[in-house]
């Protein structure tokens, strides 16, 4: 395993716990600010522009095929700041569940698409990826209280708000989600276990949104790809064009790169421990945009390989 240091620059500062970066065709980067409850555009010169007020806790975002932005909203956190470093500590006061939202970039209008699945509330939607059918997979992290944890799940939904189904459950703090280059495998990270799981994506009679599952003793139906030792935590992920999985890794602070076969190839050390998300942009997709959430920064690095072109 090769240990590297991220080489690049801080593109933007003053963000309130940024996550969910989306590299846009015009060179700007959209991020959610979880602590501020908003969607923000970061211009190439680092200038910030508010796109929409979302409320709650916007957590992950993706550009849909209709040109709208789809947001996983976790319902909100409580926060603690020490010496300029901010971290979530639990649910927000008045927390009432999570949702999937849709944002019109031209107007800032926000629409709520989903708050429940089969009558069960969404606890903390976290990360999202679109497939080639125009629908999307998303993780629901669950919710952690002082004395209990609401377990999470993996969902599939249509972008028009007409259909949602739970595809894998229970998953303990599922966070990042991404599809392999051919769309045949769904990858999911678990935060508190620092484990990467994979599921084959199935086509059942032409209906999207089904996963193949492993039998017990798999705790969630997934196949274990890799689990890091020691106290580390996984956040969001992004795929490289070659199929490698890049996972934002907390505590240690950086990007862990795994092969599809589960080999830990590289670790790119970040300037802080709350290295939470990565996405790829620029015409060659070798610009990596990484959220350093504790200090409220968006970091831009030159990546050694091209990122995967996303659906949407």
């Amino acid at each position: 395993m090769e240990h590297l240091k991220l080489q690049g620059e801080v593109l933007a500062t003053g963000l309130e716990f940024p996550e969910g970066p989306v590299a846009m065709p015009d060179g700007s980067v959209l991020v959610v600010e979880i602590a501020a409850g908003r969607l923000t555009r970061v211009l190439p010169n680092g200038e910030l522009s508010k796109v929409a007020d979302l409320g709650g806790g916007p957590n992950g975002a993706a550009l849909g095929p209709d040109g709208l932005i789809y947001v996983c909203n976790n319902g909100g956190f409580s926060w603690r700041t020490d010496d300029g470093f901010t971290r979530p500590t639990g649910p927000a006061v008045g927390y009432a569940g999570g949702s999937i939202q849709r944002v019109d970039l031209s107007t800032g209008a926000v629409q709520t698409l989903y708050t429940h699945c089969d009558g069960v509330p969404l606890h903390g939607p976290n990360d999202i990826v679109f497939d080639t059918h125009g629908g999307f997979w998303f993780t629901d992290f669950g919710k952690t209280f002082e004395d209990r944890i609401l377990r999470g799940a993996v969902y599939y939904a249509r972008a028009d708000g007409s259909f949602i189904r739970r595809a894998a459950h229970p998953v303990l703090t599922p966070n990042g989600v991404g599809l392999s280059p051919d769309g045949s495998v769904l990858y999911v990270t678990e935060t508190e276990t620092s484990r990467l799981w994979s599921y084959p994506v199935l086509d059942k009679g032409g209906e999207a949104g089904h996963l193949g599952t492993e039998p017990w003793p798999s705790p969630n139906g997934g196949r274990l790809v890799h689990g890091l030792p020691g106290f580390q935590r996984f956040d969001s992920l992004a795929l490289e064009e070659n199929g490698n999985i890049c996972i934002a890794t907390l505590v240690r602070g950086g990007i862990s790169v795994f092969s599809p076969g589960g080999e830990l190839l590289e670790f790119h050390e970040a300037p802080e421990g709350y290295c939470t998300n990565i996405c790829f942009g620029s015409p060659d997709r070798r610009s990596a945009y990484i959220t350093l959430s504790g200090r409220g920064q968006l970091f831009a690095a030159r990546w050694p390989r091209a990122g995967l072109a996303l659906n949407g």
Side-chain angles (χ1 to χ4, degrees):
M1 188 272 292
E2 190 173 6
H3 189 114
L4 306 163
K5 284 196 174 183
L6 285 175
Q7 300 297 317
E9 61 177 350
V10 174
L11 183 60
T13 61
L15 297 160
E16 297 188 44
F17 210 88
E19 289 208 34
V22 179
M24 300 298 288
D26 65 0
S28 67
V29 180
L30 298 176
V31 295
V32 296
E33 295 184 76
I34 302 181
R38 65 177 168 245
L39 180 66
T40 299
R41 187 186 298 273
V42 181
L43 299 177
N45 65 359
E47 181 183 341
L48 305 181
S49 174
K50 184 176 74 171
V51 176
D53 288 311
L54 301 169
N59 208 140
L63 180 64
D66 51 10
L68 304 178
I69 292 291
Y70 290 74
V71 176
C72 292
N73 195 308
N74 65 40
F77 291 134
S78 55
W79 302 92
R80 174 169 176 164
T81 300
D82 297 285
D83 297 323
F85 188 90
T86 298
R87 59 186 175 90
T89 57
V93 174
Y95 161 76
S99 65
I100 302 295
Q101 299 169 305
R102 181 167 61 196
V103 182
D104 186 324
L105 293 176
S106 62
T107 65
V110 180
Q111 180 183 6
T112 298
L113 293 180
Y114 301 103
T115 59
H116 292 71
C117 177
D118 296 329
V120 178
L122 301 177
H123 301 311
N126 189 289
D127 201 10
I128 179 173
V129 64
F130 274 86
D131 66 8
T132 56
H133 300 284
F136 56 87
W137 299 94
F138 72 92
T139 53
D140 185 329
F141 188 87
K143 210 70 176 179
T144 301
F145 297 83
E146 183 179 359
D147 60 345
R148 66 196 188 281
I149 296 177
L150 299 178
R151 294 191 294 184
V154 179
Y155 290 89
Y156 183 83
R158 292 181 186 148
D160 62 2
S162 67
F163 175 82
I164 182 172
R165 73 179 307 272
R166 192 174 70 181
H169 176 270
V171 192
L172 182 63
T173 60
N175 196 317
V177 64
L179 286 164
S180 62
D182 64 1
S184 67
V185 177
L186 187 77
Y187 293 103
V188 176
T189 59
E190 267 184 335
T191 296
E192 301 304 345
T193 63
S194 66
R195 288 175 181 154
L196 173 63
W197 300 93
S198 70
Y199 299 84
V201 177
L202 305 181
D203 184 347
K204 291 191 176 181
E207 182 182 78
H210 295 273
L211 298 175
T213 55
E214 297 280 327
W216 185 90
S218 171
N220 50 43
R223 179 184 70 85
L224 182 63
V225 179
H226 198 104
L228 289 180
F231 180 47
Q232 301 182 69
R233 304 167 75 220
F234 279 162
D235 208 290
S236 187
L237 64 84
L239 272 289
E240 293 180 355
E241 189 175 57
N242 63 12
N244 289 342
I245 306 103
C246 304
I247 302 176
T249 304
L250 309 178
V251 182
R252 191 180 186 188
I255 305 295
S256 302
V257 182
F258 299 92
S259 72
E263 180 184 359
L264 176 58
L265 303 173
E266 298 166 351
F267 180 75
H268 297 255
E269 183 181 342
E272 69 156 82
Y274 256 113
C275 174
T276 56
N277 289 239
I278 176 172
C279 79
F280 296 106
S282 73
D284 63 2
R285 298 192 302 279
R286 286 189 57 198
S287 293
Y289 298 101
I290 297 164
T291 49
L292 304 177
S293 302
R295 300 289 179 188
Q297 299 176 341
L298 178 66
F299 192 88
R302 191 66 178 162
W303 202 250
R305 296 163 298 274
L308 180 65
L310 296 176
N311 301 307

